[in-house]
């Protein structure tokens, strides 16, 4: 049996193609489905499918942006112990009472290296977590101990053992700190 709609030649097929309206768009399908009646189950499924796909597309775009934004996170985190060691070296150079010219030149080189590390971190949106003298925040600080202190309010950070760093609002490493606590009064009874 021949299909009555099937064209017999290429010319007839071309004419039929020119007579057909433009291919339906998703919005056009939704409007047409709405015209047919509210009880069309395919219309609702189609709308949900479009919404799900749009949400998926947006979620993938967000995840790609997050991935790009934090792509260097592990590398920058690996550099932090090196920066800590440079800071420790500078701290100990500062304790030398009368450094020789060679030791002073070495300290200057370490200071320049530290400065370059800090500039590298800044270019990659890495900032230090405020610590010394600020109020303890368990989200960005890790308490290593408590110290009774008269010069600080309770809950203030007294000492910083290791600097903490954040990258674009995300914690790379918490600051290791000592937190002030009230001195317990001794009873004389």
């Amino acid at each position: 049996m021949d299909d009555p709609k099937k064209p017999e030649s290429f010319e007839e097929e071309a004419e039929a193609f020119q007579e057909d309206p433009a291919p339906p768009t998703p919005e056009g399908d939704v409007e047409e489905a709405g015209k047919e009646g509210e009880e069309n189950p395919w219309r609702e499924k189609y709308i949900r499918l479009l919404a799900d796909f749009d949400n998926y597309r947006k979620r993938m775009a967000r995840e790609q942006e997050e991935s790009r934004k934090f792509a260097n996170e592990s590398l920058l985190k690996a550099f932090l112990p090196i920066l800590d060691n440079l800071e420790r070296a500078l701290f100990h150079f500062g304790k030398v009472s009368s450094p020789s010219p060679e030791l002073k030149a070495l300290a200057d080189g370490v200071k320049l290296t530290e400065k370059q590390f800090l500039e590298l971190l800044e270019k990659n949106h890495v900032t230090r977590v405020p610590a010394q003298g600020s109020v303890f925040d368990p989200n960005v600080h890790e308490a290593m101990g408590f110290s009774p202190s008269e010069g600080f309010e309770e809950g203030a950070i007294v000492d910083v053992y290791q600097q903490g760093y954040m990258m674009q609002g995300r914690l790379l490493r918490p600051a290791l700190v000592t937190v002030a606590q009230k001195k317990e009064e001794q009873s004389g009874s």
Side-chain angles (χ1 to χ4, degrees), residues 47-131:
I47 291 171
R48 286 180 189 257
L49 182 64
L50 281 176
D52 287 344
F53 181 72
D54 190 45
N55 290 339
Y56 170 77
R57 186 181 52 78
K58 289 176 184 176
R59 185 175 65 244
M60 288 293 108
R62 271 194 314 269
E63 287 177 6
Q64 283 180 341
E65 178 63 23
E66 281 284 310
S67 178
R68 185 195 60 74
K69 192 175 180 182
F70 296 105
N72 295 331
E73 180 178 8
S74 62
L75 178 63
L76 292 169
K77 193 174 184 178
F79 281 135
L80 296 179
I82 298 168
L83 181 60
D84 293 337
N85 289 332
L86 291 173
E87 290 172 348
R88 284 185 196 106
L90 289 172
F91 175 76
H92 290 291
F93 281 136
K95 287 186 172 184
V96 175
S97 58
S98 56
S100 67
E102 293 85 12
L103 191 58
K104 185 165 175 32
L106 180 63
D108 290 342
V110 172
K111 284 180 188 176
L112 288 174
T113 306
E114 178 197 33
K115 181 182 174 195
Q116 284 180 323
F117 261 103
L118 292 172
E119 288 171 356
L120 173 76
L121 293 176
E122 187 177 321
K123 284 180 185 176
N124 287 282
H125 310 285
V126 176
T127 56
R128 284 189 173 176
V129 172

Side-chain angles (χ1 to χ4, degrees), residues 134-137 152-157 179-182:
S134 64
V135 177
F136 177 77
D137 179 3
F152 293 93
E153 291 183 27
E154 184 175 16
I157 295 173
V179 182
Q181 104 186 108
K182 282 186 181 178

